[in-house]
Amino acid sequence: MSDNAYKDRIPVSQQALVIENNEPEKIGGTINIEINGTPYKVPFGMTILESCKMHNIHIPTLCFHEDLCIAGVCRICLVEVEGMRTLQASCAYPITQSIKIHTSSEKVRKARRHILDLMISDHYGECYSCNRNNNCELQKLAKEYGVDFYRYGHVQEPFYEVDKSSYSVVRDMNKCILCRRCVRTCIDLQEVGALDAVNRGYDTKITTFLDKPLAEVICINCGQCINRCPTGALRANDPSDEIWEAIDNPQKHVVIQTAPSPRAAIGEEFGLPAGTSLTNELNTALKMIGFDKVFDTNFTADLTIMEEGTELLLRLKSALVDKDPNVKLPQFTSCSPGWVKYIEHFYPEYLDHLSTAKSPQQMFGAVIKTFYAQEENIDPANIVSVALMPCSAKKFECNRPEMDSSGFKDVDYGLTTRELAQMIKEAGIYLPELSKSKFDEPFGEASGAGLIFGATGGVMEAALRTAYELVTGRPVPFENLEVLPCRGMEGVRQASVHLENVKPEWSFLEGVDLNFMIAHGTANAEKVMEALRRGELNDIHFIEVMACPGGCIGGGGQPIPTSLEIRKKRAEAIYKEDEGLPIRKSHENPHVQYIYEKFLTDGPCGHLSHKLLHTGYVKRGSYIA
Amino acid sequence: MPILNKAIVFKQENCGDGLQKALNMKPIDILFAVRESGLKGRGGAGFPAGSKWMLASAAQSDKKYVICNADEGEPGTFKDRLLLTEFTEQVFNGMTICGYAIGAHHGFVYLRGEYSYMIDEMQATLQQLHNSGRLGKNILGSGFDFDIEIRLGSGAYVCGEESALIESLEGNRGEPRNRPPYPANTGYMGFPTVVNNVETLATVPILINKGVDWFTSIGTEKSRGTKLISVSGDVDRPGVYEIPYGTTIMEIIEMAGARDVKAVQVGGASGICIPEAELHRNISFEDVPTGGSIIVFNNSRDMLKILENFMEFFTEESCGQCTPCRIGNKKLLDGVFMIERGECSVQYLRELISLGETMQVASKCGLGQSSPNSFITIMKHFGDEILSKY
Ligand SMILES: Cc1cc2nc3c(=O)[nH]c(=O)nc-3n(C[C@H](O)[C@H](O)[C@H](O)COP(=O)(O)O)c2cc1C
Ligand code: SF4
């Protein structure tokens, strides 16, 4: 952030005061302060917490999260500001005067310890039976402050029933410390609003509308709240016991598909820095654990591009050639199950804009229990199909009742990055040191286009690589196939590609600008949907939406913690892996060509594809009875 | 419900036409007059009204607001009720003058939910003011426009805290905000907003009418003017008394007919407990400040039961957002129960007092900062008695 950025933190009226006092240079300038007796210069308006971070002075935090707005409620980050009677929450205190700060005076240490002791007294649970053991911010603070007894007692019995109603998110409010990060995530970051604080005083709690089970409210299962929960109060619904059981059952043929984002992040669970891809090491580990086959979800990501891209071209043809007034454009991507549930709840009247193509996970599920079962001569009833995903919403997706086009439950279990890391550790394997191995046939290695699905803008980039070439016969006109306008972390992006010298069969697209948009995080999706509602997106053809900030690499099943920095590193890892692959366009994936030759013989969007690879949606609405 | 003793400021004959006088002045002169009068907030915190108004006046914004804090939620406080019924017009005029001084054109009265029975009469007064050109467009021909809207609270004590009040007015959960920025900079809907207590605002037109010199001649050096005090508890004549700042607690409770006094709670549940031996202390910002309540306890009272009552109040009324207040008050309440059961060690009691001290400096708003006051002062003065009894 540039120094000037802090200007926005200062209320305009207060800036006016500064200007009136003839000190306009302060805004956007620096200010001299003293921290623990040492003078420092900091940008005007920067908070005490940020200023201290900038100068490597540690202040503990709990309710603070860099992705979220400031709450100032846990009070653990208190510091002493000379001249003020009370201690100040450093996260919420913008520096506009030359103040003297003490970050660890006796008064501060005593207050912090008391606050911590209060939180612990009100927190039910034992660390060794918690899924956040060793990755819990409360536990970390307890250690930092040397907590070795319960000053104010300790909750002996759980007070709240654990809500396991959702396929995706489990809420155990006995472990909640009311930092409200989940509330700010759900309301501000994601603009969903499934969680909020109710009641007053000691009875305050975080809950859903009318205290309903999470499965019955407007939760979109994105799991972003899980990623930002400092304790074990929120976690994903973990299927690893069932998966172990399947692995241990010799009757079962257990296959797993792995998505690119977990592969780029699982190293973090083993202490590696963010942005280390362990794709091929993971293949080895999965076999060691006992999976019979390991497939690359990118195969069906390539298939998705073929299906979704064809669908788009068909919609364009209906609109431009047949002048069909009923054809819905822009077309939205449908591979993010959080986004799908979001639009089902909040914009059900626009469901026809959603591509009918299933997500790569679900396409693979259908293909495994049909094509693969046939090819390998295995009874699909004995196949247990697991999907390693960065995502908690994928758990919900595979349990949607319509996801049974193979005649069976297409995907049996969605497994998150965190949960698989746990299984690998349980098996006594240290992932980073394993040798590399390849994906299994008959799906083999996929293209780089499927790979970059993991980062926001990746689906669009992959689709353009294929669509442009299908239509013009030439590769997409970007150096090294890097469609740069698709990349980056801005919330909503828009760009276009000009189509000319098209192939004769696509002549209706001659001279057309293909306009596309990309949004990630449902708060940004809301902006797009509102623009659509206002009629401002009439010339847009294709919109990629991912429910999670950063796309799948920032998914609700990914390693904790998360931050913009971490998400960028994971995205870089994915783009780097793409760069090194021999095949980088979905339509050039030979396995994709093979399946269309051998199995889906009537081609993309043909009859069998429609049955296996496409789906329908539910008008849910946001009204909950 | 009149003032029970001889009123000083709040007499109808003092009111004159403060509004007309104020509108004849320049806004800046009003700001200076209010500052020079030394008028401090009557709602509890005692922030100088003139300084607050000047901050709001200096803030540049096309919209500003005046809010009259009529939430009067502090247990044992009922002096704003008197002003709202007997001096309704002065309260509204005070808001209009404030609006004129700072450049606001809209005011809200945030009325305690339990006072909803007053609303018809208040509306009627507003209508009269409109009809006589003292509210609305071009007030008294001055070219200044001002309107007042009454909004009802719904029973949350914390909504008397000014930033929680603003959140509540905006339609949100009534929870105090981080500060800075203060409401005078960033208040209702983000616009500069003056929040003042009913009594503060009602004082203004009288102060303008009678003049700064008259006002500063009453009270003490740092506490100018008078204070309305709601007296309740073990007294013969409970009710509202008006006293010049500097009056001793003893004088006040004698007026109300107190006998056999054991202790006096000044400032309601969030105030402090003054034992009999300290009744010579006086009500002023220099000595014992208060939002306006005195509760008298005679020798038949059990101080621990009183404390239990206060702590129950805070455990329920904390907004629940910050840790020290939400859990701290519960721990103090549990402590009271432990004492009652004879299970609280002297060591743990010390621990709780120390916790109270942390709450005073670590809580996010005035509620949590003041809620341990009664625990600490009652334990200080009556700890031995309590421990020997239980
Ligand atoms: C918990 C809490 C409750 C409060 N309740 C009231 C109230 O009922 N009425 C009031 O005037 N001020 C109340 N205050 C004080 C207000 O926050 C604020 O300081 C006051 O309205 C400012 O007006 P004044 O400067 O005229 O006193 C309360 C403060 C706290 C912390
Ligand atoms: S001190 Fe109490 S009332 Fe004030 S913000 Fe904290 S929890 Fe809410």
Side-chain angles (χ1 to χ4, degrees):
Chain A
M1 223 185 309
S2 73
D3 288 357
N4 227 356
Y6 294 101
K7 191 175 143 216
D8 301 338
R9 305 279 185 79
I10 309 301
V12 176
S13 52
Q14 209 163 316
Q15 291 185 21
L17 268 184
V18 173
I19 291 169
E20 230 161 67
N21 293 338
N22 279 326
E23 306 170 296
E25 71 282 357
K26 273 191 183 170
I27 296 171
T30 57
I31 194 159
N32 295 313
I33 58 164
E34 215 181 276
I35 308 174
N36 301 335
T38 311
Y40 293 98
K41 266 190 189 341
V42 297
F44 179 84
M46 193 185 231
T47 63
I48 294 179
L49 180 67
E50 289 166 311
S51 307
C52 286
K53 202 177 250 176
M54 183 173 152
H55 295 292
N56 290 322
I57 297 160
H58 172 69
I59 295 178
T61 54
L62 259 178
C63 71
F64 175 84
H65 193 286
E66 63 174 77
D67 289 337
L68 305 174
C69 64
I70 298 295
V73 296
C74 76
R75 315 303 288 171
I76 205 78
C77 73
L78 292 171
V79 297
E80 198 173 339
V81 175
E82 273 185 30
M84 301 193 80
R85 181 183 67 82
T86 56
L87 300 174
Q88 302 299 315
S90 59
C91 66
Y93 193 103
I95 299 174
T96 56
Q97 282 168 326
S98 290
I99 48 173
K100 292 183 178 163
I101 302 160
H102 299 278
T103 64
S104 181
S105 60
E106 187 200 347
K107 201 168 157 189
V108 170
R109 286 197 319 275
K110 180 182 141 195
R112 279 197 199 137
R113 180 67 203 264
H114 280 165
I115 291 166
L116 193 54
D117 285 328
L118 285 175
M119 280 180 193
I120 291 171
S121 78
D122 208 35
H123 174 90
Y124 171 78
E126 306 287 357
C127 294
Y128 46 76
S129 62
C130 178
N131 96 326
R132 288 292 293 276
N133 192 3
N134 270 334
N135 187 16
C136 167
E137 294 179 39
L138 184 64
Q139 186 189 42
K140 189 165 151 258
L141 272 180
K143 181 150 168 38
E144 194 173 314
Y145 281 79
V147 172
D148 53 3
F149 74 113
Y150 295 127
R151 189 188 306 269
Y152 307 117
H154 187 53
V155 198
Q156 299 295 327
E157 293 289 324
F159 185 76
Y160 299 105
E161 202 177 316
V162 179
D163 178 2
K164 294 184 179 168
S165 64
S166 160
Y167 286 116
S168 300
V169 183
V170 178
R171 297 174 63 241
D172 181 356
M173 288 302 103
N174 299 298
K175 293 177 180 168
C176 173
I177 55 167
L178 286 142
C179 68
R180 308 220 189 160
R181 283 197 202 165
C182 58
V183 173
R184 283 174 284 151
T185 301
C186 197
I187 295 181
D188 300 329
L189 189 74
Q190 293 292 70
E191 298 252 15
V192 171
L195 298 174
D196 206 344
V198 302
N199 298 345
R200 244 185 295 155
Y202 189 67
D203 296 332
T204 309
K205 62 174 181 179
I206 308 300
T207 188
T208 54
F209 179 64
L210 295 181
D211 254 339
K212 285 181 178 284
L214 197 59
E216 291 173 26
V217 298
I218 53 174
C219 167
I220 62 166
N221 302 313
C222 68
Q224 290 300 305
C225 53
I226 301 176
N227 288 4
R228 289 169 184 79
C229 179
T231 70
L234 293 167
R235 62 176 198 262
N237 205 335
D238 184 354
S240 47
D241 284 346
E242 288 92 326
I243 295 172
W244 279 123
E245 207 172 296
I247 287 174
D248 294 337
N249 181 346
Q251 308 299 309
K252 297 290 179 193
H253 182 75
V254 189
V255 303
I256 185 167
Q257 51 167 311
T258 72
S261 295
R263 304 181 322 221
I266 198 165
E268 294 164 40
E269 292 283 342
F270 292 86
L272 300 190
T276 321
S277 267
L278 292 177
T279 309
N280 299 93
E281 291 83 349
L282 195 59
N283 290 345
T284 311
L286 290 165
K287 286 291 176 52
M288 287 168 74
I289 287 182
F291 285 98
D292 294 300
K293 289 284 160 91
V294 183
F295 300 133
D296 185 351
T297 304
N298 296 348
F299 164 73
T300 36
D302 284 336
L303 212 51
T304 299
I305 290 299
M306 300 304 291
E307 295 292 331
E308 204 167 80
T310 306
E311 182 185 353
L312 176 66
L313 291 172
L314 289 174
R315 285 193 196 213
L316 283 172
K317 180 160 181 290
S318 305
L320 298 176
V321 180
D322 311 335
K323 309 268 184 243
D324 178 355
N326 293 323
V327 66
K328 296 285 189 258
L329 283 171
Q331 175 180 307
F332 285 101
T333 59
S334 57
C335 30
S336 164
W339 153 241
V340 169
K341 192 151 183 269
Y342 181 87
I343 186 170
E344 287 178 333
H345 278 304
F346 297 100
Y347 297 93
E349 66 276 29
Y350 290 100
L351 279 175
D352 288 343
H353 287 255
L354 209 50
S355 162
T356 58
K358 282 183 186 171
S359 70
Q361 162 179 295
Q362 291 307 129
M363 284 196 184
F364 223 144
V367 167
I368 285 170
K369 292 197 181 176
T370 54
F371 172 70
Y372 171 75
Q374 254 172 44
E375 292 257 306
E376 302 287 312
N377 206 7
I378 304 172
D379 179 358
N382 284 332
I383 297 180
V384 173
S385 177
V386 180
L388 170 65
M389 292 288 148
C391 183
S392 51
K394 289 281 170 195
K395 295 171 186 285
F396 172 83
E397 186 185 32
C398 75
N399 281 296
R400 290 178 71 117
E402 64 272 23
M403 294 296 179
D404 63 348
S405 43
S406 61
F408 300 88
K409 190 178 171 194
D410 291 337
V411 171
D412 293 286
Y413 303 109
L415 187 67
T416 65
T417 315
R418 295 188 298 266
E419 290 153 357
L420 179 64
Q422 182 57 47
M423 291 178 75
I424 293 176
K425 287 177 192 168
E426 193 175 345
I429 297 167
Y430 182 62
L431 178 66
E433 284 176 358
L434 292 186
S435 59
K436 298 177 188 243
S437 55
K438 287 184 179 297
F439 287 104
D440 286 310
E441 295 300 330
F443 304 111
E445 314 296 319
S447 82
L451 183 78
I452 59 174
F453 262 54
T456 164
V459 179
M460 187 60 68
E461 181 168 346
L464 288 174
R465 284 183 192 172
T466 288
Y468 189 90
E469 194 161 327
L470 282 185
V471 171
T472 66
R474 303 182 304 276
V476 70
F478 286 91
E479 197 186 329
N480 202 17
L481 296 179
E482 290 172 7
V483 189
L484 292 179
C486 290
R487 302 191 179 185
M489 286 286 164
E490 216 167 302
V492 179
R493 282 161 287 167
Q494 185 178 340
S496 60
V497 176
H498 187 66
L499 300 172
E500 55 188 0
N501 296 329
V502 301
K503 288 188 183 170
E505 63 266 40
W506 300 107
S507 60
F508 67 95
L509 289 174
E510 182 63 39
V512 166
D513 282 319
L514 194 60
N515 299 321
F516 54 90
M517 284 176 94
I518 294 156
H520 59 122
T522 41
N524 291 314
E526 190 198 19
K527 287 183 199 151
V528 170
M529 293 312 291
E530 287 304 315
L532 180 64
R533 186 173 269 171
R534 289 192 301 269
E536 291 165 11
L537 304 185
N538 292 338
D539 57 345
I540 304 286
H541 303 111
F542 195 24
I543 302 181
E544 176 202 301
V545 183
M546 293 291 158
C548 296
C552 308
I553 43 120
Q558 291 282 67
I560 299 169
T562 183
S563 69
L564 183 61
E565 194 71 13
I566 292 174
R567 296 192 289 275
K568 276 184 179 161
K569 293 229 173 84
R570 291 175 189 161
E572 274 165 28
I574 279 181
Y575 286 124
K576 211 169 122 218
E577 215 180 319
D578 162 49
E579 229 178 78
L581 287 182
I583 300 169
R584 297 180 57 209
K585 299 169 206 157
S586 300
H587 57 282
E588 289 177 357
N589 177 342
H591 301 91
V592 166
Q593 291 165 350
Y594 179 76
I595 198 172
Y596 280 117
E597 266 161 38
K598 282 266 302 208
F599 184 62
L600 304 166
T601 46
D602 42 4
C605 292
H607 181 69
L608 191 55
S609 307
H610 254 288
K611 178 168 176 292
L612 292 179
L613 307 184
H614 289 254
T615 185
Y617 305 104
V618 184
K619 285 194 172 166
R620 294 178 201 271
S622 53
Y623 178 77
I624 291 164
Chain B
M1 186 180 79
I3 291 174
L4 291 184
N5 62 338
K6 193 164 171 298
I8 304 164
V9 168
F10 291 107
K11 290 197 283 199
Q12 295 298 348
E13 65 258 36
N14 282 347
C15 297
D17 199 348
L19 177 63
Q20 176 72 67
K21 257 195 178 162
L23 293 175
N24 289 339
M25 295 163 73
K26 287 208 288 279
I28 184 89
D29 294 330
I30 297 179
L31 294 176
F32 276 107
V34 175
R35 190 159 86 174
E36 275 157 31
S37 75
L39 176 65
K40 288 186 179 167
R42 300 318 198 212
F47 192 80
S51 308
K52 191 185 278 186
W53 291 19
M54 279 185 173
L55 282 174
S57 160
Q60 290 182 354
S61 170
D62 46 351
K63 271 190 195 161
K64 294 181 189 179
Y65 293 92
V66 179
I67 295 174
C68 170
N69 187 344
D71 197 48
E72 192 157 61
E74 189 66 53
T77 312
F78 43 84
K79 48 99 189 169
D80 290 342
R81 188 174 67 184
L82 181 146
L83 292 177
L84 290 166
T85 51
E86 313 280 320
F87 289 82
T88 326
E89 195 180 326
Q90 299 314 317
V91 176
F92 292 146
N93 287 346
M95 294 174 69
T96 311
I97 295 172
C98 176
Y100 177 66
I102 67 164
H105 299 287
H106 201 92
F108 293 103
V109 177
Y110 188 88
L111 189 66
R112 174 183 177 147
E114 289 85 342
Y115 290 173
S116 59
Y117 68 89
M118 294 178 190
I119 208 163
D120 288 346
E121 283 202 27
M122 288 175 73
Q123 294 286 15
T125 308
L126 282 180
Q127 193 54 50
Q128 274 167 24
L129 289 174
H130 266 280
N131 294 344
S132 55
R134 304 172 74 83
L135 210 53
K137 291 252 174 274
N138 190 15
I139 297 173
L140 297 175
S142 64
F144 173 67
D145 306 336
F146 195 75
D147 251 311
I148 294 175
E149 207 180 307
I150 302 173
R151 296 273 186 95
L152 276 179
S154 43
Y157 167 64
V158 71
C159 287
E161 196 283 337
E162 54 187 9
S163 61
L165 186 158
I166 290 171
E167 283 286 315
S168 162
L169 271 186
E170 289 180 2
N172 302 327
R173 211 178 129 83
E175 289 184 344
R177 295 176 173 172
N178 289 306
R179 45 181 65 220
Y182 296 90
N185 271 308
T186 308
Y188 180 67
M189 296 297 176
F191 297 107
T193 304
V194 164
V195 183
N196 270 136
N197 174 252
V198 174
E199 188 182 346
T200 318
L201 289 165
T203 307
V204 170
I206 301 176
L207 153 73
I208 297 282
N209 181 50
K210 298 283 285 181
V212 170
D213 291 342
W214 170 80
F215 190 76
T216 50
S217 69
I218 312 166
T220 69
E221 178 69 29
K222 289 194 175 136
S223 316
R224 300 296 189 189
T226 63
K227 184 81 194 84
L228 293 183
I229 306 280
S230 334
V231 184
S232 61
D234 298 319
V235 291
D236 295 339
R237 292 176 294 281
V240 180
Y241 294 78
E242 183 179 3
I243 52 124
Y245 275 109
T247 307
T248 65
I249 298 167
M250 182 66 96
E251 284 173 77
I252 301 169
I253 62 174
E254 273 176 358
M255 269 192 274
R259 270 171 282 118
D260 202 14
V261 176
K262 180 176 190 175
V264 167
Q265 179 78 12
V266 182
S270 66
I272 58 173
C273 181
I274 307 272
E276 199 262 332
E278 291 180 19
L279 293 181
H280 56 273
R281 294 179 66 181
N282 69 73
I283 300 295
S284 65
F285 294 106
E286 295 95 317
D287 191 359
V288 185
T290 171
S293 126
I294 284 185
I295 308 173
V296 180
F297 304 119
N298 69 20
N299 276 316
S300 73
R301 301 289 166 183
D302 179 340
M303 296 313 287
L304 192 64
K305 287 290 171 199
I306 291 163
L307 183 57
E308 178 186 321
N309 195 305
F310 288 158
M311 293 325 300
E312 245 162 17
F313 175 77
F314 288 121
T315 305
E316 276 169 28
E317 291 298 332
S318 151
C319 82
Q321 75 173 303
C322 76
T323 318
C325 174
R326 181 185 67 247
I327 313 179
N329 280 309
K330 177 71 162 66
K331 294 297 161 192
L332 297 187
L333 175 64
D334 286 349
V336 171
F337 291 142
M338 284 167 76
I339 298 172
E340 282 172 10
R341 291 195 306 266
E343 288 169 7
C344 183
S345 66
V346 177
Q347 167 60 23
Y348 191 60
L349 183 57
R350 254 188 244 132
E351 202 69 272
L352 289 177
I353 291 172
S354 172
L355 169 64
E357 287 160 4
T358 289
M359 291 162 67
Q360 287 176 325
V361 294
S363 297
K364 181 166 175 176
C365 86
L367 191 153
Q369 289 164 13
S370 59
S371 60
N373 289 350
S374 44
F375 189 96
I376 292 174
T377 49
I378 288 178
M379 284 307 164
K380 179 173 163 204
H381 299 300
F382 299 98
D384 291 343
E385 176 192 315
I386 289 170
L387 287 184
S388 63
K389 184 162 166 195
Y390 288 95

